[in-house]
Every structure is written in C-alpha cells, then in structure tokens.
Amino acid sequence: GAVVSQHPSWVICKSGTSVKIECRSLDFQATTMFWYRQFPKQSLMLMATSNEGSKATYEQGVEKDKFLINHASLTLSTLTVTSAHPEDSSFYICSAREASDGTGELFFGEGSRLTVL
Amino acid sequence: AQSVTQLDSQVPVFEEAPVELRCNYSSSVSVYLFWYVQYPNQGLQLLLKYLSGSTLVKGINGFEAEFNKSQTSFHLRKPSVHISDTAEYFCAVSDLSGGYQKVTFGTGTKLQVIP
C-alpha cells in the first residue's frame, strides 16, 4: 500500500519554543491530509484538514494560531506547534488519502511524539 | 453528526480463542465503516473497510467484520487469535453528510492476548 512518512518520530523541546512536524506521502499525491492528536489511552482527535494550496480547515476548539498547518505541495504537509507548553505534549499523527471521493483508504504516518519540558 | 461507540476499552482473551470487538455507529445517512489497528507508538493500519455490497467484509490477518444496518453495528471478529494480535483496535465511520471526507474514530479497544 501507499506510504506516509512523518518526521521526527520523537521530539523533546523546551517550553516556549516552536516545533515543526513533517508529513510526506512517499508514493502518491495527496491533495488532502489530516492531522490528529492522540492523548494517552484515548482515541484520535481530528485537529484539522490540510488542503494543498489553500488554508487548512480546523476543527472546533483547535487554535489555528497555535497549530500552524502548511500544505505547500501535493506530497508534504507540516504542522508547527508554536510556543509549545507542557499541555501540548501528545502523539500527533497525520494521514492522507489517495482518492478524493472519500472511498480510498486512509494511510497513516508513524506518528510523532512531542514532549514539552 | 456521525459518531462511533466502542463499549469495551479492554478485551482479554486466551491465545487461539475467538474474539469479537464491538462497534456501534450513529448516523442518519449512508456510511462507510472501517477498522484500524494500532501497535504501540505507531500509526494506524487499515484492517478492513465496508463501503457497499456484501455485509460480511474480510480483512487482513484473518479478521472479518459484519455490517448490520438495523443494529447500526460493525463488530470485528477473529476465530482464533495469536499473541501478535495484541494491539489497540479502532472502529471508524465517515458518512455522506460530509462527503465521506471526515473520519470519526471510536475510543479504541485494547486487545490483550494471553498465552
């Protein structure tokens, strides 16, 4: 199947700094990518839908100025956690779908674990 | 709005025994249904999906699920589990109201296979 790669897989940063996480579709083009946040022992919470060439669509309650999403090309979306604080520590996962009609499988990245000290 | 309920947070089962992981969904329109598996510190992998057609869907690793529209359920089953099946399993739904674009996940069921 198609491959989605995330980088970095682990990141530790100091409070107040910004962290960028990359999500790449390696062998297909993804006009839409999705960013999720997963708290321990909980499900995935959709944060935003990243659209190539346009602004991301954020879910209710997600601060767009806090979590900056850029989808500059058909194979790359980035999530930047700005001025990170300990409560931002979490497992962040991206996904992408080959088909634009919703029938295609969602391919997930390996996830990025962010720890803010 | 679409939603998914996984009532069992943890399911312990002995190796080679059968298992059923329950999933119920809520939607007033046509749905697509999915089961994903997540191993520790990894992303999710698709086990199987129901889009249309036969209500019994077979997936990878010997898993299958049955779509029951009247009971709004999509339970996951395996006749004989292995140690390697120990993981967390997520049921997910996307429906016509959002053009099937948005996927909503259940809270997950942790399957613990006991040797």
Side-chain angles (χ1 to χ4, degrees):
Chain A
V3 178
V4 173
S5 177
Q6 270 183 254
H7 177 81
S9 54
W10 295 84
V11 57
I12 301 173
C13 70
K14 291 182 180 180
S15 185
T17 61
S18 294
V19 174
K20 179 184 285 188
I21 300 169
E22 293 186 346
C23 178
R24 293 180 184 273
S25 57
L26 298 186
D27 49 3
F28 68 100
Q29 294 183 331
T31 54
T32 304
M33 291 184 174
F34 305 89
W35 285 96
Y36 298 85
R37 182 174 180 178
Q38 186 177 31
F39 293 97
K41 300 182 181 180
Q42 294 188 31
S43 186
L44 283 75
M45 180 192 77
L46 179 64
M47 298 174 65
T49 301
S50 173
N51 304 297
E52 188 267 336
S54 63
K55 291 183 179 180
T57 304
Y58 289 82
E59 295 300 302
Q60 192 173 8
V62 178
E63 298 176 62
K64 61 181 181 181
D65 295 329
K66 174 76 172 176
F67 299 99
L68 300 178
I69 291 173
N70 185 292
H71 197 148
S73 76
L74 287 171
T75 59
L76 173 65
S77 175
T78 60
L79 168 68
T80 301
V81 183
T82 62
S83 186
H85 289 98
E87 57 265 30
D88 299 324
S89 299
S90 192
F91 194 53
Y92 293 88
I93 305 176
C94 73
S95 70
R97 180 186 277 131
E98 282 186 278
S100 59
D101 63 356
T103 62
E105 176 180 347
L106 270 178
F107 295 98
F108 285 82
E110 311 95 325
S112 299
R113 184 165 298 284
L114 170 63
T115 301
V116 184
L117 303 176
Chain B
Q2 61 194 30
S3 66
V4 178
T5 301
Q6 290 180 252
L7 288 173
D8 305 308
S9 59
Q10 292 190 44
V11 173
V13 62
F14 286 104
E15 192 174 16
E16 296 184 5
V19 70
E20 177 180 84
L21 306 183
R22 296 182 294 169
C23 172
N24 288 89
Y25 68 92
S26 175
S27 173
S28 58
V29 297
S30 178
V31 296
Y32 293 160
L33 294 158
F34 310 84
W35 274 100
Y36 287 86
V37 60
Q38 184 181 32
Y39 298 100
N41 293 313
Q42 294 187 28
L44 277 68
Q45 179 184 6
L46 181 69
L47 278 178
L48 47 79
K49 62 183 177 183
Y50 170 80
L51 303 181
S52 65
S54 173
T55 56
L56 183 63
V57 180
K58 293 189 183 296
I60 62 172
N61 300 341
F63 284 94
E64 64 180 31
E66 185 160 17
F67 170 57
N68 188 318
K69 188 175 182 179
S70 62
Q71 297 186 6
T72 61
S73 67
F74 191 56
H75 301 330
L76 180 71
R77 302 185 184 97
K78 186 170 182 177
S80 175
V81 295
H82 300 121
I83 293 291
S84 59
D85 293 324
T86 296
E88 189 146 22
Y89 293 80
F90 292 93
C91 182
V93 63
S94 65
D95 73 15
L96 179 61
S97 66
Y100 299 110
Q101 294 300 317
K102 186 181 295 187
V103 179
T104 300
F105 289 84
T107 49
T109 299
K110 191 164 290 186
L111 175 62
Q112 299 166 308
V113 180
I114 305 164

